[in-house]
Amino acid sequence: MRIVNVAAAQMGPIQKAETRQAVVARMLALMDEAKGRDADLIVYPELALTTFFPRWFMTDQAEVDAWFERDMPNAATRPLFERAARHGMAMSFGYAELTSDGHHFNTAILTDKRARIIGKYRKVHLPGHAEFDPKRSFQHLEKRYFEPGDLGFPVWRALGGVLGMCICNDRRWPETYRVMGLQGVEMVVLGYNTPSVNSQKKDEGAQKRLFHNRLSVQAGAYQNSTFVVAVAKAGSEDGHPMIGGSLIVDPEGEIVAQAKTEDDELLVHACDLDDTAFGKKTIFDFARHRRIEHYGLITSQTGAIAPD
Ligand code: CDT
């Protein structure tokens, strides 16, 4: 057995006016609870330190940059690293990263049990728009504030297994899991901020959004024989509702833990990474089953729509 006792630390809403210090205090409370339940790894949401700021239209770059972290750890987040090291707990969380040479990414990190950063992922699939459009009932401006990630989908040897990360919209793309699956990933951790209503499809309410969340995570897990730990920032941020539904899924695609609230809530599950072995052997028997000669369209820019 290779047990990773994972804690999915769902977070309730963070209002625009809330400080990073107040948010980190909540994250520390979740971390202490995770320690009480013997967690090896705690996973927090996408952009965990602030409200989901890409819903706000900003033109002043200084105002935009105030939502970003120039260093990690920094003064606001150092308590997380110190507490995680004291607890001997690995952690993953998302934040807006501003690099020293001026690049903006939607980033997640993974630390080891001594709170050393061992992995960094930068969100590849950025949803939403680059420009404000008054016709939309609400804005989602990730394309305005972030560049697409430049690190691909790496995996890391950690906690006795192979771990990978992705962020929110990435979970809807089969390629995300596949690229990690082909590297032998055994646990994918991800955070999300998903509005309860699809601004481009008004009849798609929270129940359908929750269904698609489960569907994409369960499919990604089963089809690649990996655990997936998907963690929401949920609830209403300044009147903008987001789904909860954080979940831990096993390599057979079964939900083994699921959030019941839209608040700060911890889900803990002992994941035996050896449970990934059967599926990997039968599904990922590379030599016998893969037919790469038929997969070329996946890497083509244009795709192909069958003519009428
Ligand atoms: N944060 C994020 O990626 N959210 C998207 C919804 C975007 S709606 C334009 C998601 O896939 O959940």
Side-chain angles (χ1 to χ4, degrees), residues 230-307:
V231 185
K233 179 141 63 60
S236 178
E237 292 188 337
D238 295 289
H240 296 84
M242 298 185 295
I243 62 167
S246 300
L247 70 169
I248 303 173
V249 175
D250 75 14
E252 296 188 355
E254 300 272 11
I255 296 173
V256 291
Q258 190 163 14
K260 297 181 179 62
T261 73
E262 292 184 348
D263 291 316
D264 292 5
E265 179 181 346
L266 201 71
L267 313 174
V268 181
H269 185 78
C271 303
D272 182 356
L273 301 184
D274 282 345
D275 289 348
T276 63
F278 179 79
K280 286 194 187 298
K281 188 167 177 315
T282 56
I283 304 170
F284 270 91
D285 189 334
F286 297 157
R288 285 195 303 128
H289 293 314
R290 295 191 76 221
R291 288 285 173 256
I292 59 171
E293 66 275 24
H294 296 300
Y295 304 159
L297 280 176
I298 289 174
T299 54
S300 90
Q301 266 302 343
T302 52
I305 306 291

Side-chain angles (χ1 to χ4, degrees), residues 46 52 106 123 125 127-129 138 140 142 167-172 192-195 198-200 209:
E46 172 191 36
F52 189 73
N106 188 343
K123 186 174 183 179
H125 300 106
H129 303 88
F138 59 87
H140 189 113
E142 280 193 63
I167 299 177
C168 195
N169 192 259
D170 290 321
R171 74 196 188 288
R172 305 185 192 275
Y192 60 93
N193 287 262
T194 296
N198 187 337
S199 68
Q200 300 181 70
R209 300 290 261 177

Side-chain angles (χ1 to χ4, degrees), residues 11-23 26 47-53 55-56 67 193 233-242 262-264:
M11 295 177 69
I14 300 172
Q15 308 309 325
K16 200 177 178 188
E18 280 182 59
T19 63
R20 286 171 175 75
Q21 284 71 19
V23 175
R26 283 167 54 186
L47 298 178
L49 303 172
T50 65
T51 196
F52 189 73
F53 68 85
R55 70 168 65 88
W56 303 107
W67 296 103
N193 287 262
K233 179 141 63 60
S236 178
E237 292 188 337
D238 295 289
H240 296 84
M242 298 185 295
E262 292 184 348
D263 291 316
D264 292 5

Side-chain angles (χ1 to χ4, degrees), residues 201-214:
K201 199 161 180 267
K202 289 287 173 341
D203 57 338
E204 189 177 294
Q207 288 314 312
K208 183 61 81 63
R209 300 290 261 177
L210 285 160
F211 167 67
H212 285 157
N213 179 48
R214 292 191 300 271

Side-chain angles (χ1 to χ4, degrees), residues 7 33 63-65 68 98 112 151 246 252 293:
E33 186 184 342
E63 188 189 347
V64 173
D65 287 352
F68 283 74
L98 177 50
D112 66 11
L151 301 174
S246 300
E252 296 188 355
E293 66 275 24

